[in-house]
Amino acid sequence: MEIITVGNELLSGRVVNTNASWIADNVTRLGGLVKRITMVGDDVEECSAAIREALARKPRLIITTGGLGPTFDDRTLESIAVALGLSMELSEEALRMIEEKYGREVTPPRLKMARLPRGGKPLYNPVGTAPGCLIEAGDVVMVALPGVPSEMKAMFETHVKPMILKLSRAAYASKLVKVDMIEESSLAPMIEEVMRKCKAVYVKSRPKRDGEAYIEVEVSSRAPTMKEAEENVAEACELLKELIVRAGAKAQEI
């Protein structure tokens, strides 16, 4: 799957793109595989181009965040429509969702949030006002979520999580190992040996300096069942710790 995050504030650096990392982390834990994350501004031409490029790669799922609100620069749904060659139409179902929040006082900016690409299904927003949207493009499912983190997370749990569990055919497990008293360059051959002997795992090292200097090593595995994934990780962790201790350094799971 792919993630597209939309917003000029992300490109200017004023806002840290926490939505992308949160979605990627949760997708991974659910057994899904994120292959690409794209960040684009509030521009229909740029955003629609990014969507077309993602569609050309034919992921099973594309999640967008941001650009669903009532202001002039919230244009993600318009960008999806342009990318798919669809018109924008008023969704009566989306309008009912908005009226549930505001009553009958639906101003033009609020009415804007009820306009979806033709054929799009509105997704109820339990926290905010802007509905999300689900639309299918051939074999690709696109889900547009709000950019406000609390709204995005609530809608992910409600609408996206069940989809990923249905689509995913793998379980994912991981553990962290804290390594002291060794340089990353000396640790690298040990990681290579673990990955050579334990074919079903992926091992990634990250130097950390939060008050103390150490290396954090993540050992992860995808497998048909959670039991198998956890066994793969446990076996690799034991081998890694054995190699590190043999080299005179320290290692512990955290």
Side-chain angles (χ1 to χ4, degrees), residues 5-246:
T5 56
V6 184
N8 289 346
E9 68 279 7
L10 301 175
L11 295 178
S12 69
R14 291 194 304 274
V15 173
V16 177
N17 194 357
T18 57
N19 281 356
S21 60
W22 189 93
I23 294 171
D25 179 59
N26 279 268
V27 168
T28 300
R29 292 176 187 275
L30 292 169
L33 179 62
V34 177
K35 292 195 171 182
R36 190 176 298 239
I37 297 175
T38 304
M39 191 160 58
V40 66
D42 298 300
D43 179 88
V44 172
E45 184 177 347
E46 293 290 337
C47 189
S48 61
I51 292 167
R52 281 193 295 268
E53 290 168 6
L55 287 167
R57 290 186 286 269
K58 298 189 182 301
R60 300 172 76 185
L61 177 65
I62 297 173
I63 299 175
T64 72
T65 66
L68 303 188
T71 62
F72 74 96
D73 58 343
D74 289 316
R75 305 183 71 181
T76 299
L77 293 179
E78 181 184 349
S79 300
I80 292 174
V82 170
L84 296 176
L86 301 174
S87 60
M88 293 287 287
E89 298 180 353
L90 180 68
S91 165
E92 294 295 337
E93 186 178 354
L95 182 59
R96 284 193 295 271
M97 293 177 184
I98 292 168
E99 288 176 341
E100 181 182 314
K101 306 282 186 177
Y102 291 110
R104 292 289 179 178
E105 190 181 346
V106 180
T107 61
R110 294 169 182 171
L111 190 65
K112 172 183 177 293
M113 295 187 291
R115 293 179 59 81
L116 309 180
R118 180 170 50 82
K121 174 187 175 183
L123 301 176
Y124 181 70
N125 184 338
V127 176
T129 55
C133 180
L134 182 151
I135 189 163
E136 296 183 16
D139 295 329
V140 181
V141 177
M142 295 188 64
V143 178
L145 302 178
V148 178
S150 60
E151 297 181 30
M152 178 276 293
K153 292 176 182 179
M155 294 185 70
F156 181 96
E157 292 291 330
T158 301
H159 304 291
V160 182
K161 183 176 179 178
M163 294 172 53
I164 293 172
L165 289 172
K166 184 177 179 181
L167 289 171
S168 176
R169 296 186 177 89
Y172 175 85
S174 70
K175 282 186 178 180
L176 295 177
V177 177
K178 181 182 178 183
V179 182
D180 294 294
M181 300 171 57
I182 194 171
E183 293 290 332
E184 192 175 24
S185 58
S186 300
L187 181 62
M190 302 177 201
I191 291 175
E192 291 176 9
E193 182 174 346
V194 171
M195 292 186 66
R196 186 171 63 252
K197 292 181 176 178
C198 304
K199 303 292 187 182
V201 301
Y202 179 76
V203 185
K204 175 66 177 178
S205 63
R206 292 183 289 266
K208 308 286 282 188
R209 288 178 176 81
D210 47 359
E212 58 175 323
Y214 62 94
I215 300 173
E216 180 182 271
V217 181
E218 182 178 10
V219 181
S220 61
S221 176
R222 296 178 187 277
T225 67
M226 181 58 73
K227 181 175 183 294
E228 186 177 344
E230 290 175 343
E231 288 175 349
N232 293 338
V233 170
E235 178 187 4
C237 283
E238 288 305 311
L239 176 57
L240 178 64
K241 288 186 291 183
E242 179 185 327
L243 294 172
I244 291 169
V245 170
R246 193 184 302 167

